[in-house]
Amino acid sequence: MNNDSKSPIADLQRQQLLLRMEYEYEKEEFQRQTETMGVARKVKRGLCWYPAYPGKSYYNSLNQLVIEILRNEDKEIEHAFEFGRPVCFFRQSFDGKVTYMNFTAAVSYADEERMVVVLPGASALADIQAEEQLGVQLYFDETSYRAMFDALEEVLAAKGNRLAELREILLGTAKPGFRELHPVRFPWLNSTQETAVNKVLCARDVAIVHGPPGTGKTTTLVEAIYETLHREPQVLVCAQSNTAVDWISEKLVDRGVPVLRIGNPSRVNDKMLSFTYERRFENHPAYPELWGIRKSIRELNGQLRRKNYSERESLRNRMSRLRDRATELEILINADLFDGARVIASTLVSSSHRLLNGRRFPTLFIDEAAQALEAACWIAIRKADRVVLAGDHCQLPPTIKCIEAIRGGLDHTLMEKVVDRKPDAVSLLKMQYRMHEEIMRFSSEWFYHGELEAAPEIRHRGILDFDDPMSWIDTSELDYHEEFVGESFGRINKQEANLLLEKLEAYILHIGKQRILDERIDFGLISPYKAQVQYLRGKIKGNSFFRPFRSLITVNTVDGFQGQERDVIFISLVRANESGQIGFLNDLRRMNVAITRARMKLVILGEATTLAKHPFYRKLLEFINR
């Protein structure tokens, strides 16, 4: 649905309505899963750890009661637990009956086998520690929705302030303004990257860095942030996911920029942890005194019940003085941390964190803006005077579960709207540094008006002489069939998966086993369907031929490959049916991501008779076979 003719107010009211549909749908879906899906299936889908084991509990540097939760089983299964996500605990009796504990908690930190969970209080801790058959699962994320609804309300109500102006500029007919500045030269950037950075510096209201695959969007954005910091004391940098925030934060830290990361990183190493708010807080010189005061308050609290009235009064007075001092110290530490940081980095939802209450920023940068719901962007925009959006609306869209909400246009992001309505604000990066030009060309013609070009140094990159950079293995004559596995796992086509592994093995032998190991030539196996991905992973694990190459082979969904690249990519499209039904292969943005992950060689497996009923796949097939 096209909202171009609507006023900004009508546009935002429509967003509210569609977001409410998504909220209700997801909540119902969560309740249905909780009631009907067995624990084993939840574990398999990465929504649950069972059995889980309580580790040590302690008060963290932010004075929150936390407990470590460990798992021994199924470490291979990728889980969806990450910072900020709510969880609930349950016990399972020997007859399989599941009983939920009556509190929710939040993940502070998670890796493959351990997570740290913030508890609401001591009684929750006692419940967990008393349990022998403990499980933990993701809970419905009310907090993120609340933050998005609050943001939409505030934007709708804005009058006579900067937020009202930005609403009219981003969604209405008001034109974005630009300053006249002498262009800055960046000899290490290409001309379109340099133009993009200069547009960011000149923008009074909004600028967009549109970065197709392999065009150095992150490099350009880091440069734009770095240059902006020559002119402004501090900026806010956000993205939809923790992973994207980590990525840009790490690049800024490498440039020597002091970053303060609100929330915990998803990829855990000391470098990443060292710029988190929590780690900085506990490394502050005033922290030992604060820690001692908090400890005293907890101890005095424990003594209260055992004292008579006058002793209790005296203890309360003492605790009150200690609390005042603790508050003073917290304010002091926070002021130091925020004053010392040039970049505050967080996810869009975490930009509503109490730590950022009342703070304003001259510029907000949103990376991966095309993957963020519009409402999530407004959470952060409320804190800024101007906004820079970076991403690619021709790649992965936001994750939305309600089909009606998608049909209504909830997946039409703020970045897309601004690209459509304010073309003056957009800079397209045109030089790509990843792919052989043949692999790039189809994507360039279909999605980017043929404007992309391959950098000279990678234009003809390949592994073997006289090898086609792209090939399509058509399974039409082979009588393969897809099977439906379940709504969130989609479909599987085992015969096609087996054929893919045969072709992969043959290609490895063709290149030469030793050469692959010596040169670390890497492979990506992509399928849009989780069931196909899991089947391929299992087959590779059980096949001795692939053992020496396992560290060089990644198998994942399209979404799992976002932002990544490999020398060789195999894609299994799965769909094979008489009626030409291709399900969510209709989402061409996902296919754009899949085909642009390959540096030197792209192999697609799919049944042409099913897929060629769609003009995109027909054109792709013709392009490869020409």
Side-chain angles (χ1 to χ4, degrees), residues 104-236:
T104 58
V107 177
S108 169
Y109 163 94
D111 58 29
E112 277 75 42
E113 55 204 42
R114 180 180 79 103
M115 68 172 113
V116 178
V117 176
V118 180
L119 298 175
S123 64
L125 176 63
D127 286 355
I128 289 169
Q129 288 175 331
E131 197 44 62
E132 284 179 17
Q133 301 292 316
L134 182 72
V136 58
Q137 75 168 58
L138 283 169
Y139 193 70
F140 178 66
D141 192 357
E142 195 85 46
T143 319
S144 297
Y145 279 107
R146 182 58 37 232
M148 288 193 279
F149 284 124
D150 287 350
L152 289 176
E153 282 293 341
E154 194 174 326
V155 182
L156 276 164
K159 274 192 180 67
N161 59 9
R162 184 58 178 149
L163 185 58
E165 288 172 7
L166 285 173
R167 178 187 66 207
E168 298 309 309
I169 291 162
L170 296 176
L171 297 176
T173 52
K175 278 194 168 354
F178 293 91
R179 297 180 195 86
E180 283 292 324
L181 287 179
H182 197 65
V184 184
R185 294 305 316 276
F186 300 97
W188 52 92
L189 298 181
N190 68 44
S191 61
T192 56
Q193 291 172 332
E194 188 176 276
T195 303
V197 175
N198 277 293
K199 184 158 271 188
V200 168
L201 298 177
C202 293
R204 290 181 188 279
D205 311 295
V206 61
I208 285 191
V209 179
H210 180 189
T215 54
K217 169 184 65 72
T218 305
T219 304
T220 309
L221 191 59
V222 166
E223 205 57 60
I225 294 167
Y226 194 77
E227 275 303 308
T228 300
L229 288 171
H230 291 330
R231 297 155 173 77
E232 296 171 11
Q234 193 176 62
V235 298
L236 178 60

Side-chain angles (χ1 to χ4, degrees), residues 451-508:
E451 290 192 65
L452 302 191
E453 59 178 297
E457 63 269 30
I458 57 97
R459 190 167 289 159
H460 304 298
R461 63 180 352 182
I463 299 170
L464 297 163
D465 295 337
F466 313 114
D467 190 12
D468 290 324
M470 298 174 84
S471 57
W472 183 308
I473 296 167
D474 182 8
T475 61
S476 299
E477 304 299 312
L478 299 171
D479 198 29
Y480 288 179
H481 297 292
E482 61 181 74
E483 298 166 53
F484 182 68
V485 180
E487 48 211 89
S488 74
F489 271 49
R491 292 167 194 269
I492 192 168
N493 186 329
K494 291 178 182 173
Q495 297 133 307
E496 185 175 286
N498 295 335
L499 179 64
L500 184 153
L501 294 175
E502 276 174 40
K503 298 290 181 186
L504 174 62
E505 187 173 327
Y507 198 61
I508 287 172

